[in-house]
Amino acid sequence: MASVKKDDRLTSSQSFMCVGFAGFFSKTFTSPLEVVKIKSQVGTFHCKRGFLESFLLIYQNEGLRGFWKGNLASCLRLIPYTAVHLTTYKKLVHLHMDELGFISQWRAILAGGLAGAVASLTTYPLEVAETRLIAQNCRRPVYMGVVHTISKIYRNEGLLALYRGFSLTLLGAIPFSIGCYAVHMNLDKLWQEPSFRFTPLQNFINGCLAAGVAQTLSYPFETVKRKMQAQSARLPHLGGVDVHFTGTMDCFIQVVKNKGVLSLWNGLTANTIKVVPYFGLLFTCFEMCKQVSLYRNGYIVSPLSYKLTPGVDQSLGPSELEEAKRYLKNRDFGSSLGKC
């Protein structure tokens, strides 16, 4: 899946801040597409007439505010998810490295999948809250916010309700990882050159392509997961879900039986369209934030330019660079005292 590349010239807090800023902005900008996608997966009445009609129905019934329902839960989830994912991924990569410090593409993707599962488990209640907030009508709300949603689900339905459908996250990780692996293994054939020669534009296209293929393969698992998250006997119309079921397997059976196999990919159009602007904004915002951080750290001459600061070793980390600057300053100060 497309991701921002780690730059050793940034501190851990700067990297985290850049990823967080980029994630918040890209999620907020593409929230209308996410709302349409999730409503289509749940099966609410808004999405019975197709992709474009869904936007009109949501606007008519809920106004502009309806396109940003659940966005706060999604953005809040990003912070702990990123922290847990990065920490777990680093540990798994170190475990699978050989004596020379290398790791195969397949093992790296597998480590990413496992790290994603751990991060999802940690933040899953926020994902359930996001689904419930999106599925409801914001003009006649049952839930009044992220905290209220989680607390009300816990009080009325119990702790397990906050993890309903989580097993599908694990199952969906299998086709997702296979999709990523298949794309990455064929990139050199696509571009007719080795991966180390790829330009930033090629890497961006590669990331979007990998995300598109992987998400399409794992999409049926996400559709059933969203239905399980939304359904509740305590909500009007059982949460707006278009089929009624008693468990994971029964949900698959009822969807195929009543709506057809292709309905497992409801909302895929919105999801596919979202890939390019989401990752485009993710990369652009990350680069903007990174430029400011690199300027503050002394690696470049301006936050608006990629021009490197003369005489600065770009291979040094921020702490090493600061130490080198202090050493040179003290040396120059000592030399001036010696001359006196």
Side-chain angles (χ1 to χ4, degrees):
M1 191 168 173
S3 61
V4 289
K5 288 189 174 181
K6 184 178 183 299
D7 193 321
D8 292 328
R9 296 174 298 174
L10 302 179
T11 64
S12 297
S13 59
Q14 286 174 334
S15 295
F16 186 75
M17 180 187 68
C18 290
V19 171
F21 169 73
F24 276 127
F25 192 85
S26 54
K27 277 182 176 292
T28 302
F29 186 83
T30 58
S31 180
L33 287 164
E34 183 71 5
V35 168
V36 170
K37 182 196 86 169
I38 291 177
K39 280 185 174 291
S40 298
Q41 290 176 316
V42 171
T44 62
F45 77 92
H46 306 82
C47 303
K48 304 292 185 185
R49 302 180 189 174
F51 173 67
L52 294 177
E53 282 290 323
S54 299
F55 285 95
L56 182 61
L57 281 171
I58 292 170
Y59 177 72
Q60 288 175 342
N61 286 277
E62 304 182 64
L64 280 175
R65 191 174 55 149
F67 291 110
W68 277 270
K69 294 187 302 178
N71 185 58
L72 179 59
S74 181
C75 290
L76 289 175
R77 179 173 176 259
L78 181 70
I79 299 171
Y81 184 94
T82 301
V84 174
H85 187 278
L86 289 176
T87 304
T88 308
Y89 180 72
K90 284 180 182 178
K91 291 190 176 183
L92 289 172
V93 166
H94 282 302
L95 282 174
H96 290 93
M97 277 182 177
D98 58 23
E99 309 81 49
L100 299 175
F102 292 104
I103 185 172
S104 67
Q105 186 72 54
W106 172 247
R107 286 178 181 273
I109 291 173
L110 181 62
L114 291 172
V118 174
S120 294
L121 177 64
T122 308
T123 60
Y124 198 77
L126 283 167
E127 186 178 338
V128 173
E130 177 193 8
T131 302
R132 293 284 180 98
L133 287 166
I134 289 174
Q136 73 174 358
N137 188 323
C138 65
R139 286 180 175 169
R140 295 187 296 275
V142 175
Y143 305 111
M144 305 305 295
V146 179
V147 176
H148 180 254
T149 303
I150 293 174
S151 63
K152 191 167 185 177
I153 293 172
Y154 176 72
R155 285 198 315 269
N156 295 339
E157 303 173 51
L159 179 63
L160 290 180
L162 291 170
Y163 288 90
R164 191 178 293 149
F166 177 72
S167 60
L168 291 160
T169 298
L170 303 178
L171 292 172
I174 298 172
F176 188 92
S177 297
I178 291 172
C180 284
Y181 183 71
V183 171
H184 282 292
M185 287 297 99
N186 290 283
L187 288 177
D188 53 346
K189 296 176 184 176
L190 174 66
W191 298 111
Q192 300 294 313
E193 59 181 346
S195 59
F196 65 85
R197 290 185 179 176
F198 291 165
T199 64
L201 178 60
Q202 286 175 312
N203 283 323
F204 171 69
I205 294 172
N206 295 342
C208 289
L209 185 61
V213 171
Q215 288 175 12
T216 301
L217 290 176
S218 62
Y219 201 82
F221 295 96
E222 188 186 350
T223 296
V224 173
K225 179 182 72 174
R226 293 292 185 181
K227 290 181 188 297
M228 294 187 71
Q229 290 174 341
Q231 180 176 274
S232 172
R234 295 178 176 271
L235 294 176
H237 310 293
L238 296 177
V241 183
D242 56 357
V243 294
H244 300 156
F245 49 87
T246 57
T248 305
M249 281 305 301
D250 188 47
C251 186
F252 272 105
I253 292 169
Q254 294 302 324
V255 170
V256 173
K257 181 180 176 181
N258 294 290
K259 303 295 178 179
V261 176
L262 291 181
S263 64
L264 290 169
W265 281 270
N266 281 350
L268 183 63
T269 302
N271 187 70
T272 303
I273 292 172
K274 191 187 87 168
V275 167
V276 174
Y278 178 83
F279 287 111
L281 287 168
L282 188 71
F283 278 99
T284 303
C285 294
F286 181 83
E287 284 299 315
M288 288 171 57
C289 188
K290 187 177 85 170
Q291 287 293 103
V292 174
S293 298
L294 289 178
Y295 172 69
R296 288 175 61 87
N297 292 350
Y299 290 101
I300 57 177
V301 297
S302 166
L304 302 177
S305 169
Y306 284 94
K307 187 177 179 181
L308 303 178
T309 303
V312 172
D313 187 350
Q314 301 291 322
S315 66
L316 296 176
S319 58
E320 294 172 320
L321 182 60
E322 280 299 314
E323 189 176 337
K325 285 180 179 178
R326 282 197 299 269
Y327 171 76
L328 292 173
K329 186 178 180 180
N330 291 335
R331 191 183 66 176
D332 292 341
F333 181 70
S335 299
S336 61
L337 285 178
K339 289 179 182 179
C340 294

